[in-house]
Amino acid sequence: QVQLVESGGGLVQAGGSLRLSCAASGSTFSINAMGWYRQPPGKERELVATIFSGGTTNYAGSVRGRFTISRDNAKNTVYLQMNTLKPEDTAIYYCHAARFYTDYWGQGTQVTVSE
């Protein structure tokens, strides 16, 4: 089992920045990928960014160039640096980990971007 705990959400004005953190614990060896998804109000959950064990990253088109995902393997922690935030980035952000074809999710952290 893998446990994921997010932190760093909050309220920010448009154009501002936030950094999300996700700490993994438990059976963290052989985690293939970690990443972030988000669920805007009234919408389905969507991929934001993923970082694979080899360091390759993948971003949704709507955040590419504004968000950066990174990973500290020694701390089993993944980060999402979010810059130039827009009101449409408002959502609950969920940390995700994939290990041996099993998906693990954090509890979610709210990000609200005001006009």
Side-chain angles (χ1 to χ4, degrees), residues 28-89:
T28 57
F29 63 94
S30 296
I31 289 178
N32 302 320
M34 294 186 71
W36 295 91
Y37 286 68
R38 67 186 181 187
Q39 187 165 14
K43 297 184 179 180
E44 295 186 351
R45 193 174 298 189
E46 61 185 16
L47 173 69
V48 176
T50 301
I51 184 165
F52 295 91
S53 56
T56 302
T57 58
N58 181 47
Y59 295 92
S62 59
V63 307
R64 189 175 293 116
R66 300 188 297 123
F67 292 11
T68 302
I69 189 170
S70 61
R71 182 172 176 174
D72 185 333
N73 291 326
K75 296 182 178 180
N76 291 316
T77 300
V78 64
Y79 305 96
L80 185 68
Q81 177 66 43
M82 305 185 292
N83 298 328
T84 319
L85 282 160
K86 304 175 181 180
E88 51 263 44
D89 295 317

Short mmCIF file of all heavy atoms in Angstrom, two decimals, residues 28-89:
data_model
loop_
_atom_site.label_atom_id
_atom_site.label_comp_id
_atom_site.label_asym_id
_atom_site.label_seq_id
_atom_site.Cartn_x
_atom_site.Cartn_y
_atom_site.Cartn_z
N THR A 28 6.76 2.41 -1.11
CA THR A 28 7.06 3.39 -2.16
C THR A 28 8.03 2.87 -3.22
O THR A 28 8.20 3.51 -4.26
CB THR A 28 7.65 4.67 -1.55
OG1 THR A 28 8.83 4.32 -0.81
CG2 THR A 28 6.66 5.36 -0.63
N PHE A 29 8.65 1.72 -2.96
CA PHE A 29 9.56 1.20 -3.96
C PHE A 29 8.74 0.76 -5.18
O PHE A 29 7.62 0.34 -5.07
CB PHE A 29 10.38 0.03 -3.41
CG PHE A 29 9.56 -1.16 -3.02
CD1 PHE A 29 9.33 -2.21 -3.89
CD2 PHE A 29 8.99 -1.24 -1.75
CE1 PHE A 29 8.58 -3.30 -3.53
CE2 PHE A 29 8.24 -2.32 -1.37
CZ PHE A 29 8.02 -3.35 -2.26
N SER A 30 9.32 0.88 -6.32
CA SER A 30 8.69 0.48 -7.58
C SER A 30 7.47 1.31 -7.95
O SER A 30 6.61 0.85 -8.71
CB SER A 30 8.31 -1.01 -7.56
OG SER A 30 9.45 -1.81 -7.46
N ILE A 31 7.36 2.52 -7.40
CA ILE A 31 6.34 3.43 -7.91
C ILE A 31 6.76 3.82 -9.32
O ILE A 31 7.86 4.33 -9.53
CB ILE A 31 6.18 4.68 -7.03
CG1 ILE A 31 5.50 4.31 -5.71
CG2 ILE A 31 5.38 5.75 -7.76
CD1 ILE A 31 5.34 5.48 -4.75
N ASN A 32 5.91 3.58 -10.29
CA ASN A 32 6.25 3.85 -11.68
C ASN A 32 6.12 5.31 -12.04
O ASN A 32 6.90 5.84 -12.83
CB ASN A 32 5.35 3.03 -12.60
CG ASN A 32 5.46 1.55 -12.33
OD1 ASN A 32 6.56 1.03 -12.09
ND2 ASN A 32 4.34 0.86 -12.33
N ALA A 33 5.11 5.95 -11.50
CA ALA A 33 4.85 7.33 -11.86
C ALA A 33 4.09 8.00 -10.73
O ALA A 33 3.33 7.36 -10.00
CB ALA A 33 4.03 7.42 -13.14
N MET A 34 4.31 9.28 -10.59
CA MET A 34 3.53 10.10 -9.67
C MET A 34 3.07 11.33 -10.43
O MET A 34 3.69 11.74 -11.41
CB MET A 34 4.35 10.51 -8.46
CG MET A 34 4.73 9.35 -7.56
SD MET A 34 5.56 9.88 -6.03
CE MET A 34 4.18 10.63 -5.14
N GLY A 35 1.98 11.88 -9.97
CA GLY A 35 1.48 13.03 -10.68
C GLY A 35 0.35 13.72 -9.97
O GLY A 35 0.04 13.42 -8.81
N TRP A 36 -0.25 14.64 -10.70
CA TRP A 36 -1.34 15.44 -10.16
C TRP A 36 -2.51 15.43 -11.14
O TRP A 36 -2.33 15.56 -12.36
CB TRP A 36 -0.89 16.89 -9.96
CG TRP A 36 0.16 17.03 -8.91
CD1 TRP A 36 1.52 16.98 -9.08
CD2 TRP A 36 -0.06 17.20 -7.51
NE1 TRP A 36 2.15 17.12 -7.88
CE2 TRP A 36 1.21 17.27 -6.89
CE3 TRP A 36 -1.20 17.33 -6.72
CZ2 TRP A 36 1.36 17.45 -5.52
CZ3 TRP A 36 -1.05 17.51 -5.35
CH2 TRP A 36 0.22 17.57 -4.76
N TYR A 37 -3.68 15.26 -10.58
CA TYR A 37 -4.94 15.43 -11.29
C TYR A 37 -5.70 16.54 -10.58
O TYR A 37 -5.39 16.90 -9.45
CB TYR A 37 -5.76 14.14 -11.25
CG TYR A 37 -5.24 13.04 -12.15
CD1 TYR A 37 -4.05 12.38 -11.89
CD2 TYR A 37 -5.98 12.63 -13.26
CE1 TYR A 37 -3.58 11.38 -12.71
CE2 TYR A 37 -5.53 11.61 -14.09
CZ TYR A 37 -4.34 10.99 -13.80
OH TYR A 37 -3.89 9.98 -14.62
N ARG A 38 -6.71 17.06 -11.28
CA ARG A 38 -7.57 18.06 -10.64
C ARG A 38 -9.01 17.87 -11.07
O ARG A 38 -9.28 17.33 -12.14
CB ARG A 38 -7.11 19.48 -10.99
CG ARG A 38 -7.28 19.87 -12.44
CD ARG A 38 -6.67 21.25 -12.69
NE ARG A 38 -6.84 21.68 -14.07
CZ ARG A 38 -6.28 22.78 -14.57
NH1 ARG A 38 -5.51 23.57 -13.81
NH2 ARG A 38 -6.49 23.11 -15.83
N GLN A 39 -9.92 18.31 -10.21
CA GLN A 39 -11.34 18.24 -10.49
C GLN A 39 -11.96 19.60 -10.26
O GLN A 39 -12.19 20.00 -9.11
CB GLN A 39 -12.03 17.18 -9.63
CG GLN A 39 -13.48 16.95 -10.02
CD GLN A 39 -14.04 15.68 -9.42
OE1 GLN A 39 -13.47 15.09 -8.51
NE2 GLN A 39 -15.17 15.24 -9.95
N PRO A 40 -12.22 20.35 -11.34
CA PRO A 40 -12.88 21.65 -11.20
C PRO A 40 -14.32 21.47 -10.76
O PRO A 40 -14.90 20.38 -10.93
CB PRO A 40 -12.80 22.24 -12.62
CG PRO A 40 -11.75 21.45 -13.33
CD PRO A 40 -11.82 20.07 -12.73
N PRO A 41 -14.93 22.49 -10.22
CA PRO A 41 -16.33 22.39 -9.77
C PRO A 41 -17.25 21.95 -10.90
O PRO A 41 -17.24 22.55 -11.98
CB PRO A 41 -16.66 23.81 -9.31
CG PRO A 41 -15.35 24.42 -8.99
CD PRO A 41 -14.37 23.81 -9.93
N GLY A 42 -18.02 20.90 -10.67
CA GLY A 42 -18.99 20.44 -11.65
C GLY A 42 -18.41 19.70 -12.84
O GLY A 42 -19.13 19.40 -13.80
N LYS A 43 -17.12 19.41 -12.80
CA LYS A 43 -16.48 18.74 -13.93
C LYS A 43 -15.80 17.45 -13.48
O LYS A 43 -15.68 17.18 -12.29
CB LYS A 43 -15.46 19.67 -14.59
CG LYS A 43 -16.08 20.93 -15.18
CD LYS A 43 -15.03 21.76 -15.90
CE LYS A 43 -15.64 23.01 -16.52
NZ LYS A 43 -14.62 23.83 -17.24
N GLU A 44 -15.34 16.68 -14.46
CA GLU A 44 -14.68 15.43 -14.15
C GLU A 44 -13.20 15.67 -13.82
O GLU A 44 -12.61 16.69 -14.18
CB GLU A 44 -14.80 14.46 -15.33
CG GLU A 44 -16.23 14.04 -15.62
CD GLU A 44 -16.32 12.97 -16.69
OE1 GLU A 44 -15.29 12.70 -17.33
OE2 GLU A 44 -17.41 12.43 -16.89
N ARG A 45 -12.62 14.67 -13.15
CA ARG A 45 -11.22 14.74 -12.83
C ARG A 45 -10.39 14.66 -14.10
O ARG A 45 -10.69 13.88 -15.01
CB ARG A 45 -10.85 13.61 -11.88
CG ARG A 45 -9.50 13.74 -11.22
CD ARG A 45 -9.27 12.65 -10.18
NE ARG A 45 -10.25 12.71 -9.09
CZ ARG A 45 -10.16 11.99 -7.98
NH1 ARG A 45 -9.15 11.15 -7.84
NH2 ARG A 45 -11.07 12.08 -7.05
N GLU A 46 -9.31 15.47 -14.16
CA GLU A 46 -8.47 15.51 -15.35
C GLU A 46 -7.00 15.50 -14.96
O GLU A 46 -6.63 15.96 -13.89
CB GLU A 46 -8.77 16.78 -16.16
CG GLU A 46 -8.52 18.07 -15.43
CD GLU A 46 -8.93 19.31 -16.20
OE1 GLU A 46 -9.68 19.19 -17.18
OE2 GLU A 46 -8.48 20.41 -15.82
N LEU A 47 -6.19 15.00 -15.87
CA LEU A 47 -4.76 14.95 -15.65
C LEU A 47 -4.17 16.35 -15.73
O LEU A 47 -4.52 17.13 -16.62
CB LEU A 47 -4.10 14.07 -16.70
CG LEU A 47 -2.57 14.05 -16.72
CD1 LEU A 47 -2.03 13.37 -15.47
CD2 LEU A 47 -2.06 13.36 -17.98
N VAL A 48 -3.26 16.65 -14.81
CA VAL A 48 -2.53 17.91 -14.84
C VAL A 48 -1.09 17.66 -15.30
O VAL A 48 -0.63 18.24 -16.27
CB VAL A 48 -2.53 18.61 -13.47
CG1 VAL A 48 -1.69 19.87 -13.51
CG2 VAL A 48 -3.96 18.91 -13.03
N ALA A 49 -0.40 16.79 -14.58
CA ALA A 49 1.00 16.51 -14.90
C ALA A 49 1.41 15.19 -14.28
O ALA A 49 0.88 14.80 -13.24
CB ALA A 49 1.90 17.64 -14.40
N THR A 50 2.36 14.53 -14.94
CA THR A 50 2.89 13.26 -14.47
C THR A 50 4.40 13.28 -14.59
O THR A 50 4.94 13.87 -15.54
CB THR A 50 2.34 12.09 -15.30
OG1 THR A 50 0.91 12.08 -15.21
CG2 THR A 50 2.89 10.76 -14.82
N ILE A 51 5.07 12.63 -13.65
CA ILE A 51 6.50 12.43 -13.75
C ILE A 51 6.77 10.94 -13.55
O ILE A 51 6.31 10.34 -12.57
CB ILE A 51 7.29 13.31 -12.76
CG1 ILE A 51 8.79 13.14 -12.98
CG2 ILE A 51 6.90 13.05 -11.32
CD1 ILE A 51 9.63 14.24 -12.31
N PHE A 52 7.50 10.36 -14.49
CA PHE A 52 7.77 8.93 -14.44
C PHE A 52 9.07 8.66 -13.69
O PHE A 52 9.87 9.58 -13.45
CB PHE A 52 7.81 8.37 -15.86
CG PHE A 52 6.49 8.48 -16.57
CD1 PHE A 52 6.17 9.59 -17.33
CD2 PHE A 52 5.55 7.47 -16.45
CE1 PHE A 52 4.94 9.70 -17.97
CE2 PHE A 52 4.32 7.56 -17.08
CZ PHE A 52 4.01 8.68 -17.83
N SER A 53 9.29 7.41 -13.35
CA SER A 53 10.44 7.06 -12.51
C SER A 53 11.75 7.45 -13.16
O SER A 53 12.72 7.76 -12.47
CB SER A 53 10.42 5.56 -12.19
OG SER A 53 10.39 4.81 -13.39
N GLY A 54 11.80 7.48 -14.48
CA GLY A 54 13.03 7.86 -15.16
C GLY A 54 13.21 9.36 -15.31
O GLY A 54 14.25 9.82 -15.78
N GLY A 55 12.20 10.11 -14.88
CA GLY A 55 12.29 11.57 -14.94
C GLY A 55 11.49 12.22 -16.05
O GLY A 55 11.35 13.45 -16.08
N THR A 56 10.97 11.43 -16.96
CA THR A 56 10.15 12.00 -18.04
C THR A 56 8.89 12.63 -17.48
O THR A 56 8.29 12.09 -16.54
CB THR A 56 9.76 10.90 -19.04
OG1 THR A 56 10.94 10.28 -19.55
CG2 THR A 56 8.96 11.47 -20.19
N THR A 57 8.51 13.76 -18.03
CA THR A 57 7.32 14.46 -17.56
C THR A 57 6.29 14.59 -18.69
O THR A 57 6.62 14.54 -19.87
CB THR A 57 7.67 15.85 -17.04
OG1 THR A 57 8.32 16.59 -18.09
CG2 THR A 57 8.58 15.77 -15.83
N ASN A 58 5.06 14.78 -18.26
CA ASN A 58 3.96 14.94 -19.20
C ASN A 58 2.99 15.96 -18.61
O ASN A 58 2.70 15.91 -17.41
CB ASN A 58 3.24 13.61 -19.42
CG ASN A 58 2.11 13.72 -20.41
OD1 ASN A 58 2.27 14.30 -21.47
ND2 ASN A 58 0.95 13.19 -20.05
N TYR A 59 2.51 16.89 -19.45
CA TYR A 59 1.63 17.94 -18.97
C TYR A 59 0.38 18.04 -19.82
O TYR A 59 0.40 17.81 -21.02
CB TYR A 59 2.33 19.31 -19.02
CG TYR A 59 3.52 19.45 -18.11
CD1 TYR A 59 4.80 19.16 -18.55
CD2 TYR A 59 3.35 19.88 -16.80
CE1 TYR A 59 5.89 19.29 -17.72
CE2 TYR A 59 4.44 20.03 -15.95
CZ TYR A 59 5.69 19.74 -16.42
OH TYR A 59 6.78 19.87 -15.58
N ALA A 60 -0.71 18.44 -19.17
CA ALA A 60 -1.89 18.81 -19.92
C ALA A 60 -1.60 20.09 -20.69
O ALA A 60 -0.85 20.96 -20.21
CB ALA A 60 -3.07 19.04 -18.98
N GLY A 61 -2.20 20.22 -21.86
CA GLY A 61 -1.94 21.39 -22.67
C GLY A 61 -2.29 22.70 -21.99
O GLY A 61 -1.64 23.73 -22.21
N SER A 62 -3.31 22.67 -21.14
CA SER A 62 -3.78 23.89 -20.50
C SER A 62 -2.81 24.44 -19.45
O SER A 62 -2.92 25.59 -19.05
CB SER A 62 -5.14 23.64 -19.85
OG SER A 62 -5.05 22.61 -18.89
N VAL A 63 -1.86 23.61 -19.00
CA VAL A 63 -0.94 24.06 -17.96
C VAL A 63 0.51 24.09 -18.43
O VAL A 63 1.38 24.61 -17.72
CB VAL A 63 -1.04 23.17 -16.70
CG1 VAL A 63 -2.48 23.08 -16.22
CG2 VAL A 63 -0.46 21.79 -16.94
N ARG A 64 0.78 23.54 -19.61
CA ARG A 64 2.16 23.48 -20.09
C ARG A 64 2.72 24.89 -20.21
O ARG A 64 2.11 25.80 -20.75
CB ARG A 64 2.21 22.77 -21.44
CG ARG A 64 3.61 22.45 -21.92
CD ARG A 64 3.59 21.63 -23.19
NE ARG A 64 3.06 20.29 -22.95
CZ ARG A 64 1.93 19.84 -23.49
NH1 ARG A 64 1.22 20.62 -24.28
NH2 ARG A 64 1.51 18.62 -23.23
N GLY A 65 3.93 25.06 -19.67
CA GLY A 65 4.56 26.37 -19.68
C GLY A 65 4.29 27.19 -18.44
O GLY A 65 4.98 28.18 -18.17
N ARG A 66 3.26 26.80 -17.67
CA ARG A 66 2.94 27.51 -16.43
C ARG A 66 3.21 26.65 -15.20
O ARG A 66 3.58 27.18 -14.15
CB ARG A 66 1.47 27.93 -16.43
CG ARG A 66 1.08 28.85 -17.57
CD ARG A 66 -0.35 29.37 -17.38
NE ARG A 66 -1.34 28.31 -17.42
CZ ARG A 66 -2.21 28.06 -16.43
NH1 ARG A 66 -2.19 28.79 -15.33
NH2 ARG A 66 -3.09 27.08 -16.56
N PHE A 67 3.00 25.37 -15.31
CA PHE A 67 3.19 24.45 -14.19
C PHE A 67 4.44 23.61 -14.42
O PHE A 67 4.77 23.26 -15.57
CB PHE A 67 2.00 23.50 -14.06
CG PHE A 67 0.71 24.15 -13.62
CD1 PHE A 67 0.54 25.53 -13.57
CD2 PHE A 67 -0.37 23.36 -13.25
CE1 PHE A 67 -0.64 26.10 -13.17
CE2 PHE A 67 -1.57 23.91 -12.84
CZ PHE A 67 -1.71 25.28 -12.81
N THR A 68 5.12 23.25 -13.33
CA THR A 68 6.29 22.38 -13.40
C THR A 68 6.17 21.30 -12.34
O THR A 68 5.99 21.61 -11.16
CB THR A 68 7.58 23.17 -13.18
OG1 THR A 68 7.68 24.20 -14.16
CG2 THR A 68 8.79 22.24 -13.31
N ILE A 69 6.28 20.06 -12.77
CA ILE A 69 6.26 18.94 -11.82
C ILE A 69 7.70 18.49 -11.59
O ILE A 69 8.52 18.48 -12.51
CB ILE A 69 5.39 17.78 -12.36
CG1 ILE A 69 5.19 16.72 -11.28
CG2 ILE A 69 5.96 17.18 -13.64
CD1 ILE A 69 4.15 15.66 -11.63
N SER A 70 7.99 18.15 -10.34
CA SER A 70 9.32 17.65 -9.99
C SER A 70 9.19 16.61 -8.90
O SER A 70 8.14 16.49 -8.26
CB SER A 70 10.24 18.80 -9.56
OG SER A 70 9.72 19.45 -8.42
N ARG A 71 10.28 15.91 -8.68
CA ARG A 71 10.22 14.78 -7.74
C ARG A 71 11.53 14.70 -6.98
O ARG A 71 12.60 14.80 -7.57
CB ARG A 71 9.97 13.50 -8.54
CG ARG A 71 9.82 12.22 -7.76
CD ARG A 71 9.38 11.11 -8.72
NE ARG A 71 9.30 9.82 -8.06
CZ ARG A 71 8.84 8.71 -8.64
NH1 ARG A 71 8.45 8.74 -9.89
NH2 ARG A 71 8.81 7.58 -7.97
N ASP A 72 11.43 14.51 -5.67
CA ASP A 72 12.58 14.27 -4.82
C ASP A 72 12.51 12.82 -4.38
O ASP A 72 11.75 12.47 -3.47
CB ASP A 72 12.55 15.23 -3.62
CG ASP A 72 13.80 15.12 -2.76
OD1 ASP A 72 14.42 14.04 -2.75
OD2 ASP A 72 14.13 16.09 -2.09
N ASN A 73 13.28 11.97 -5.03
CA ASN A 73 13.20 10.54 -4.75
C ASN A 73 13.65 10.20 -3.33
O ASN A 73 13.12 9.28 -2.71
CB ASN A 73 14.03 9.75 -5.75
CG ASN A 73 13.42 9.79 -7.15
OD1 ASN A 73 12.20 9.80 -7.29
ND2 ASN A 73 14.25 9.81 -8.16
N ALA A 74 14.60 10.94 -2.81
CA ALA A 74 15.09 10.67 -1.46
C ALA A 74 14.01 10.92 -0.42
O ALA A 74 13.97 10.26 0.63
CB ALA A 74 16.31 11.53 -1.16
N LYS A 75 13.12 11.87 -0.71
CA LYS A 75 12.04 12.19 0.23
C LYS A 75 10.71 11.58 -0.18
O LYS A 75 9.71 11.78 0.49
CB LYS A 75 11.88 13.72 0.32
CG LYS A 75 13.08 14.45 0.89
CD LYS A 75 12.81 15.95 0.98
CE LYS A 75 13.99 16.68 1.59
NZ LYS A 75 13.75 18.14 1.68
N ASN A 76 10.71 10.85 -1.31
CA ASN A 76 9.46 10.27 -1.82
C ASN A 76 8.38 11.34 -1.94
O ASN A 76 7.22 11.12 -1.54
CB ASN A 76 8.98 9.12 -0.93
CG ASN A 76 9.89 7.92 -1.02
OD1 ASN A 76 10.32 7.51 -2.09
ND2 ASN A 76 10.20 7.34 0.13
N THR A 77 8.76 12.46 -2.45
CA THR A 77 7.85 13.60 -2.54
C THR A 77 7.83 14.14 -3.96
O THR A 77 8.87 14.22 -4.61
CB THR A 77 8.28 14.72 -1.57
OG1 THR A 77 8.24 14.20 -0.23
CG2 THR A 77 7.35 15.92 -1.66
N VAL A 78 6.64 14.49 -4.41
CA VAL A 78 6.47 15.12 -5.72
C VAL A 78 5.89 16.51 -5.50
O VAL A 78 5.09 16.73 -4.58
CB VAL A 78 5.58 14.27 -6.64
CG1 VAL A 78 4.16 14.16 -6.11
CG2 VAL A 78 5.59 14.81 -8.06
N TYR A 79 6.32 17.44 -6.34
CA TYR A 79 5.91 18.83 -6.22
C TYR A 79 5.24 19.28 -7.52
O TYR A 79 5.54 18.79 -8.60
CB TYR A 79 7.12 19.72 -5.96
CG TYR A 79 7.93 19.32 -4.76
CD1 TYR A 79 9.06 18.52 -4.89
CD2 TYR A 79 7.56 19.73 -3.48
CE1 TYR A 79 9.81 18.14 -3.80
CE2 TYR A 79 8.30 19.36 -2.37
CZ TYR A 79 9.43 18.57 -2.53
OH TYR A 79 10.16 18.19 -1.44
N LEU A 80 4.36 20.26 -7.37
CA LEU A 80 3.77 20.91 -8.53
C LEU A 80 3.88 22.42 -8.31
O LEU A 80 3.17 22.98 -7.47
CB LEU A 80 2.31 20.51 -8.73
CG LEU A 80 1.67 21.06 -10.01
CD1 LEU A 80 2.30 20.40 -11.25
CD2 LEU A 80 0.16 20.84 -10.00
N GLN A 81 4.79 23.04 -9.03
CA GLN A 81 4.93 24.49 -8.99
C GLN A 81 3.98 25.09 -10.00
O GLN A 81 4.06 24.79 -11.20
CB GLN A 81 6.37 24.89 -9.32
CG GLN A 81 6.59 26.39 -9.35
CD GLN A 81 6.42 27.03 -7.98
OE1 GLN A 81 6.89 26.51 -6.98
NE2 GLN A 81 5.74 28.17 -7.94
N MET A 82 3.06 25.91 -9.53
CA MET A 82 2.04 26.49 -10.39
C MET A 82 2.23 28.00 -10.45
O MET A 82 2.13 28.68 -9.43
CB MET A 82 0.64 26.16 -9.85
CG MET A 82 0.40 24.67 -9.66
SD MET A 82 -1.28 24.27 -9.16
CE MET A 82 -1.29 24.99 -7.52
N ASN A 83 2.55 28.49 -11.62
CA ASN A 83 2.76 29.92 -11.84
C ASN A 83 1.70 30.48 -12.77
O ASN A 83 1.03 29.73 -13.50
CB ASN A 83 4.15 30.16 -12.43
CG ASN A 83 5.28 29.72 -11.52
OD1 ASN A 83 5.17 29.78 -10.29
ND2 ASN A 83 6.36 29.27 -12.12
N THR A 84 1.57 31.78 -12.77
CA THR A 84 0.61 32.48 -13.63
C THR A 84 -0.76 31.81 -13.54
O THR A 84 -1.37 31.44 -14.55
CB THR A 84 1.10 32.50 -15.09
OG1 THR A 84 2.50 32.76 -15.15
CG2 THR A 84 0.39 33.60 -15.86
N LEU A 85 -1.22 31.63 -12.33
CA LEU A 85 -2.49 30.94 -12.11
C LEU A 85 -3.66 31.73 -12.68
O LEU A 85 -3.67 32.97 -12.66
CB LEU A 85 -2.70 30.67 -10.63
CG LEU A 85 -1.87 29.47 -10.10
CD1 LEU A 85 -1.72 29.54 -8.60
CD2 LEU A 85 -2.52 28.17 -10.52
N LYS A 86 -4.65 30.99 -13.16
CA LYS A 86 -5.85 31.56 -13.76
C LYS A 86 -7.07 31.08 -12.99
O LYS A 86 -7.03 30.01 -12.36
CB LYS A 86 -5.98 31.11 -15.21
CG LYS A 86 -4.78 31.44 -16.09
CD LYS A 86 -4.94 30.85 -17.48
CE LYS A 86 -3.74 31.15 -18.35
NZ LYS A 86 -3.90 30.58 -19.72
N PRO A 87 -8.17 31.83 -13.03
CA PRO A 87 -9.38 31.37 -12.34
C PRO A 87 -9.81 29.97 -12.78
O PRO A 87 -10.33 29.20 -11.96
CB PRO A 87 -10.42 32.42 -12.74
CG PRO A 87 -9.62 33.66 -12.95
CD PRO A 87 -8.33 33.19 -13.57
N GLU A 88 -9.57 29.62 -14.01
CA GLU A 88 -9.96 28.28 -14.49
C GLU A 88 -9.08 27.17 -13.93
O GLU A 88 -9.35 25.99 -14.15
CB GLU A 88 -9.96 28.22 -16.03
CG GLU A 88 -8.69 28.73 -16.68
CD GLU A 88 -8.82 30.18 -17.13
OE1 GLU A 88 -9.36 31.01 -16.36
OE2 GLU A 88 -8.34 30.49 -18.24
N ASP A 89 -8.02 27.52 -13.20
CA ASP A 89 -7.23 26.51 -12.50
C ASP A 89 -7.86 26.12 -11.16
O ASP A 89 -7.36 25.21 -10.49
CB ASP A 89 -5.81 27.03 -12.24
CG ASP A 89 -5.03 27.25 -13.53
OD1 ASP A 89 -5.12 26.40 -14.43
OD2 ASP A 89 -4.34 28.28 -13.63
#
